Amino acid sequence: MEIIIKENGQVASEAAARIVVRLVKEKPNAVIGLATGSTPLMLYREMIRLHKEEGLDFSQVTTFNLDEYIGLPPEHEQSYRRFMNENLFKHINIKMENTHVPDGMAEDVPASCAAYEQAIIDAGGIDLQVLGIGSDGHVGFNEPTSSFASRTRIKTLTRETVADNARFFDDDESMVPHHCVTMGIGTIMDARMNIMLAFGERKADAIADTVEGPIASIMPASILQYHPAAKLFIDEAAASKLKLASYYRWVYDGKPKWQKDA
Ligand code: PGA
């Protein structure tokens, strides 16, 4: 795992955006996995800026989002489809038909999950997956003790995640769906590269356990230690509990620019 510690989330997001730029320039029809939540917003704003000001071209890009709440229609204010449309897709030149978010309203959930997995395969697999991390260590909505071999499926959120996400539902936990469809950890591990973003003190324990703890399903993100190309872009607060933080800084500072953006 490569740990990139920046002074704040904005600078970390700009560094992560350079990875996206390089990929899209090298492979205009790249397949990108996307995440929701507050964490990737700065990355998405930077991608929009790069499109508007520097002409970054998303016209051939395909995207697959990690997850969606069960029971929220796409037009619901808190659905992840709506989140993606509002915070990214509407502002870049991506073709809407090339954007995919799991279907939270599917009548046959297992069939719709299998179709999602197949669509990823048909698109050639995910080149770059963007990840956040829950305060409980979840990736996508793969909560603690999720199987490392899991594929896209229905999951039940933890109480902690429901409480964390109540802020998007007028602070009313009873409004937060308890079920979701999420790519599995196996799906995420198949991505050719994973980039995880984490900002703020609230993520410090999960980041320390992910990077320096044992690989265990109680901390789902720890599986990234097994991924051949995983990069973590974090701010000082999220890095505050890492034992080897000064080593990670030293490694990154010593890299040539071409390698930093690769
Ligand atoms: P957040 O959520 O970005 O809103 O903190 C991250 C996550 O739950 O994966």
Side-chain angles (χ1 to χ4, degrees):
M1 244 192 281
E2 192 180 345
I3 319 301
I4 297 130
I5 305 168
K6 295 287 183 181
E7 55 270 41
N8 57 50
Q10 178 62 32
V11 179
S13 299
E14 286 167 12
R18 288 197 287 275
I19 306 283
V20 176
V21 171
R22 186 169 175 140
L23 172 67
V24 173
K25 285 192 173 158
E26 278 179 8
K27 187 176 178 187
N29 62 346
V31 179
I32 304 180
L34 296 172
T36 49
S38 42
T39 306
L41 283 172
M42 287 179 278
L43 169 65
Y44 296 159
R45 278 200 286 272
E46 180 63 7
M47 285 165 65
I48 294 166
R49 188 195 69 75
L50 287 160
H51 167 66
K52 294 203 158 137
E53 293 178 16
E54 297 180 26
L56 189 61
D57 180 13
F58 292 94
S59 62
Q60 296 179 62
V61 167
T62 296
T63 64
F64 287 90
N65 262 77
L66 285 166
D67 45 19
E68 179 61 284
Y69 291 113
I70 294 260
L72 296 194
E75 60 281 3
H76 188 284
E77 262 206 334
Q78 294 306 332
S79 80
Y80 286 162
R81 160 52 77 181
R82 171 115 177 232
F83 177 101
M84 291 310 304
N85 290 353
E86 297 299 324
N87 290 297
L88 182 64
F89 299 151
K90 269 169 118 174
H91 309 285
I92 57 176
N93 66 333
I94 196 161
K95 296 192 179 84
M96 275 296 175
E97 64 267 29
N98 290 345
T99 68
H100 303 85
V101 179
D103 182 359
M105 298 297 284
E107 277 185 23
D108 184 342
V109 174
S112 133
C113 292
Y116 202 71
E117 287 280 330
Q118 190 59 47
I120 294 172
I121 293 167
D122 293 346
I126 293 173
D127 293 301
L128 171 68
Q129 175 67 54
V130 176
L131 297 170
I133 183 170
S135 58
D136 64 0
H138 69 215
V139 281
F141 270 142
N142 293 284
E143 297 286 25
T145 70
S146 287
S147 162
F148 284 157
S150 52
R151 313 303 304 191
T152 303
R153 70 212 183 292
I154 188 168
K155 281 294 286 181
T156 303
L157 305 184
T158 60
R159 300 295 298 262
E160 189 174 345
T161 301
V162 170
D164 276 352
N165 289 2
R167 67 189 195 281
F168 300 115
F169 291 83
D170 298 326
D171 283 325
D172 182 353
E173 281 188 29
S174 70
M175 299 295 287
V176 184
H178 289 188
H179 295 99
C180 63
V181 172
T182 180
M183 275 187 204
I185 295 180
T187 323
I188 292 167
M189 289 296 284
D190 281 351
R192 294 179 190 100
M193 181 186 285
N194 269 289
I195 59 174
M196 174 177 277
L197 309 174
F199 311 130
E201 172 71 33
R202 203 167 60 85
K203 303 290 174 71
D205 283 317
I207 287 296
D209 288 343
T210 294
V211 178
E212 296 172 342
I215 297 171
S217 65
I218 191 79
M219 181 50 57
S222 64
I223 192 65
L224 291 177
Q225 293 177 34
Y226 259 123
H227 195 278
K231 294 175 190 278
L232 266 60
F233 293 87
I234 58 180
D235 66 0
E236 295 286 352
S240 59
K241 296 200 173 155
L242 287 169
K243 291 193 194 77
L244 301 184
S246 61
Y247 172 61
Y248 309 138
R249 285 195 183 90
W250 191 64
V251 170
Y252 186 73
D253 290 345
K255 287 190 178 201
K257 187 175 178 325
W258 63 265
Q259 203 182 19
K260 282 183 182 164
D261 295 348

